[in-house]
Amino acid sequence: MNDKLLVVGSVAYDCIETPADSADFILGGSASYAALAASYFAPTMISAVVGNDFKDSDIKRLTARAIDLSDVRFDSSKPTFFWRGKYHKNFNSRETLDVRLNAYENFVPQLGKDAQGAKYVLLGNISPEIQAATLDLVKAPQYVILDTMDLWITTAAESLNNLIKRCDLLIVNDSEAKLLAGTQNIICAGNELLKSGAKTVVIKAGEFGAMLFHCEGFFVVPAYPITSLHDPTGAGDSFAGALAGYIAGAGKVDFETIKNGMLAGAATASMTVESFSCYKLEQYGIDEINRRREFIKNISKI
Ligand code: AMP
């Protein structure tokens, strides 16, 4: 067994349009965002598949953060997972204009020895079938974090509910929590999810921060107050990645550690949304993450 964090999810090329700017074929995907964020806190590995168009420069971006790519498969017959999204006025909502599974169509996860021995696993957003099949390959996971999206809540409810019971921490955003719990009140949604089998729940609420529903109590972390929102894509994945990385790096899973992990998540996510892809996060690095963590801590106390 090892103290590394195994991140499962999509590695993608995204085309994104915001009210202010647009970018084509930039590195995205839940696993890319999550692993880049996690890499500031713990040694990180990715399990995913990329296609025949995957660029060396993107491999370099991930390996520059010491992310272990030995469990990233290469499918020479298909392109990389593709997502095209457009944000509406004021970034308040977005629509998916195109999504192509490409290399994920026939993807069967396989893990090398190191990944099989991971103590910490983040099942980042991808189908619950791929998440479960990957988790099956990890020999003795000690702490499993699950992230998902509305698509799977509506199309794969049974697989998702079975997976929730195998995980230690469920991360969803506010609308997903309400959808999953079948209630319009966010606090009731968190409590319902605990009752229905999730051991611990984090609900992300974008610019309003995130809430923790834990058997030892309730906790809220505010978002870092930014004034330069550029592209919200990947904020949730970065939050989940930094939280998972923080837990793996600390080697502890208690209430205090999860609360501190949420501070790390909030700081890191705020840097992701200041540029397309993770460019700002990679540019500013750990010093700025730590400065923002301290700032959030200070604005949270009386
Ligand atoms: P977020 O903004 O946190 O929801 O994450 C956006 C990222 O998720 C983008 O980089 C997309 O490539 C990726 N993505 C979009 N749809 C899916 C999907 N169905 N499965 C996995 N990843 C996806």
Side-chain angles (χ1 to χ4, degrees), residues 19-33:
D21 203 356
S22 65
D24 283 342
F25 293 94
I26 47 169
L27 178 64
S30 56
S32 311
Y33 280 110

Side-chain angles (χ1 to χ4, degrees), residues 143 161 164-172 176-178 180-183 185-203 211-219 255 258:
Y143 202 78
N161 284 325
I164 289 173
K165 296 193 180 86
R166 295 175 64 191
C167 295
D168 300 284
L169 171 60
L170 170 68
I171 305 182
V172 279
E176 292 156 1
K178 290 172 185 171
L180 197 55
T183 164
N185 179 299
I186 196 162
I187 306 298
C188 295
N191 291 334
E192 272 310 309
L193 292 173
L194 284 184
K195 272 194 232 151
S196 63
K199 296 184 187 82
T200 301
V201 178
V202 167
I203 301 183
M211 295 170 200
L212 170 65
F213 297 79
H214 187 277
C215 60
E216 285 180 43
F218 176 72
F219 175 70
F255 191 35
I258 299 172

